[in-house]
Amino acid sequence: MKIRDGRGTADAFCVERYGHKWVRTRTIVNTLSTNFNEHHTWDVYDPATVLTVGLFDNSQLHRSNTSNKDMNIGKVRIRLSTLAPGRLYTLSYPLLVLHPSGVKKMGELHLAVKFSCTSLVKMMFLYSRPLLPKMHFIRPLTVLQQDLLRCLALNIMAAWLSRAEPPRRKEVIEYMSDVEWYKWSMRRAKANFFRLAAVFSVLFTLAEWFGDVRTWKNPATTVLIHVLLVMLVCFHQLILPALLLFIFLRGIRNYWYRPCYPPFVNMRLSHTEAVDPDELSEEFDTYPMSASLEFVLLRYDRPRSVAGKIQTIVGDVATQGE
């Protein structure tokens, strides 16, 4: 992280967040092999939530040599729904940070995590509850209201945690809360597009398979599908039980072949391996831009071309619908 006395070192501390409870460890000074050896416990209010653990380099100890802001080393998110109750997981999570030059591994974070369930009935009840209050479904908040409330909540949380002991600075709160998620980025736009394409890939595959059946590409499969269709027409009362049985068997299969360990971060989903260097520099550029006029015009024309393609696709879909 920094150079001190001619060698690399760090003054690392860890911040954990779950819900409204924030925990900060002590700062281990002048070492790259930090051992915190601390134990923390949270009350889980919903199994479908995430525990966030961030590692930072303290810049307040030697302000003459380092920046005034605490530098982020990396963070890890653990989905509680991937943890089996009563099992102790001891894993090393890679700390990956996106830089203008690409993805950089800053180290590893060794954690021992255990999800304890005192009542299975209570946990199933929590799963059955809606994620949001009832008023949200009656009068949902607009996008502008959500952004305003998120900004106000971040400022209140930063002011509150700055008076804690030891204090959590605002840059730490912003990094743990992902305050820059709304900023435009060509990399994020591509990543979200490919994620959306993966979601609808099942429908595309089903449509392609139906086209093969309709055109008799595989006669044996087409005959079997027609026989099945005739059986469903003759015994239509078995359609719903057969569908429920298929869902039940598919759920048992997914439970049997579920991963034994919590999954790590898949860097391919963020589309950082095949991203253009100028797109990364645009994502990390300051405001106002420090690049030359030619690069500014290039960055302006790039989203215009993407928006033009989207406009054409929407027009074609509207034409087909009309």
Side-chain angles (χ1 to χ4, degrees):
M1 293 300 297
K2 51 193 173 186
I3 303 298
R4 185 182 299 160
D5 298 332
R7 64 183 183 90
T9 186
D11 304 322
F13 66 92
C14 198
V15 175
E16 302 94 18
R17 175 196 178 187
Y18 178 75
H20 299 289
K21 183 178 178 181
W22 293 67
V23 176
R24 184 189 187 278
T25 65
R26 66 188 187 278
T27 301
I28 309 299
V29 182
N30 201 22
T31 179
L32 292 177
S33 300
T34 307
N35 294 317
F36 295 106
N37 295 326
E38 295 190 15
H39 177 267
H40 303 284
T41 305
W42 290 268
D43 292 330
V44 177
Y45 61 91
D46 189 353
T49 47
V50 178
L51 170 66
T52 306
V53 183
L55 200 64
F56 300 89
D57 186 12
N58 197 329
S59 300
Q60 312 304 315
L61 301 178
H62 301 82
R63 295 189 179 183
S64 58
N65 299 330
T66 59
S67 175
N68 191 28
K69 292 185 177 181
D70 294 335
M71 302 296 295
N72 57 287
I73 303 178
K75 62 183 174 182
V76 174
R77 292 187 179 93
I78 303 175
R79 296 185 179 274
L80 301 187
S81 58
T82 61
L83 304 178
R87 182 175 178 178
L88 181 64
Y89 295 89
T90 305
L91 299 172
S92 296
Y93 292 89
L95 298 174
L96 304 175
V97 179
L98 184 64
H99 289 276
S101 58
V103 180
K104 183 178 180 181
K105 183 178 179 181
M106 306 297 293
E108 292 184 353
L109 185 63
H110 191 71
L111 293 176
V113 185
K114 184 178 181 180
F115 175 60
S116 300
C117 177
T118 57
S119 176
L120 182 61
V121 177
K122 185 178 180 181
M123 186 177 68
M124 298 303 297
F125 173 73
L126 290 177
Y127 267 116
S128 63
R129 293 175 56 188
L131 297 178
L132 298 174
K134 294 182 180 180
M135 185 58 67
H136 177 80
F137 301 98
I138 299 176
R139 298 184 61 182
L141 298 175
T142 62
V143 177
L144 295 178
Q145 290 175 339
Q146 292 180 13
D147 293 339
L148 179 60
L149 291 176
R150 186 178 290 109
C151 182
L152 292 176
L154 178 64
N155 294 331
I156 294 174
M157 190 181 304
W160 170 53
L161 293 176
S162 63
R163 296 191 297 267
E165 185 60 37
R168 279 74 118 186
R169 298 177 61 83
K170 187 175 181 180
E171 59 268 14
V172 174
I173 308 302
E174 292 178 350
Y175 180 71
M176 296 286 290
S177 304
D178 293 330
V179 296
E180 296 183 353
W181 66 272
Y182 62 89
K183 291 185 177 180
W184 163 256
S185 171
M186 183 62 69
R187 176 189 61 83
R188 294 176 184 172
K190 291 181 180 179
N192 292 333
F193 172 78
F194 287 116
R195 289 173 56 196
L196 190 63
V199 169
F200 290 101
S201 61
V202 178
L203 298 179
F204 297 151
T205 304
L206 185 62
E208 184 179 358
W209 173 80
F210 182 77
D212 295 340
V213 172
R214 183 175 55 84
T215 57
W216 292 78
K217 186 175 182 179
N218 190 347
T221 304
T222 305
V223 171
L224 290 177
I225 294 300
H226 282 80
V227 171
L228 179 61
L229 180 61
V230 172
M231 292 178 60
L232 292 178
V233 171
C234 297
F235 305 97
H236 57 274
Q237 65 273 12
L238 298 179
I239 296 179
L240 184 59
L243 181 61
L244 295 178
L245 180 61
F246 171 76
I247 295 175
F248 176 73
L249 296 177
R250 185 62 182 269
I252 293 179
R253 178 185 178 277
N254 293 338
Y255 178 80
W256 184 264
Y257 291 102
R258 70 188 187 280
C260 298
Y261 296 96
F264 291 100
V265 177
N266 189 1
M267 297 305 299
R268 294 182 179 179
L269 295 178
S270 58
H271 201 69
T272 56
E273 297 179 350
V275 68
D276 189 79
D278 181 64
E279 296 176 359
L280 279 179
S281 63
E282 177 187 7
E283 186 172 350
F284 286 92
D285 203 353
T286 57
Y287 181 82
M289 292 184 178
S290 58
S292 60
L293 180 60
E294 291 77 9
F295 283 100
V296 174
L297 294 176
L298 177 63
R299 294 172 182 176
Y300 177 72
D301 291 335
R302 187 188 296 122
R304 285 191 62 187
S305 62
V306 175
K309 295 178 182 178
I310 297 176
Q311 175 181 289
T312 303
I313 294 175
V314 171
D316 293 341
V317 172
T319 302
Q320 294 293 331
E322 292 168 350

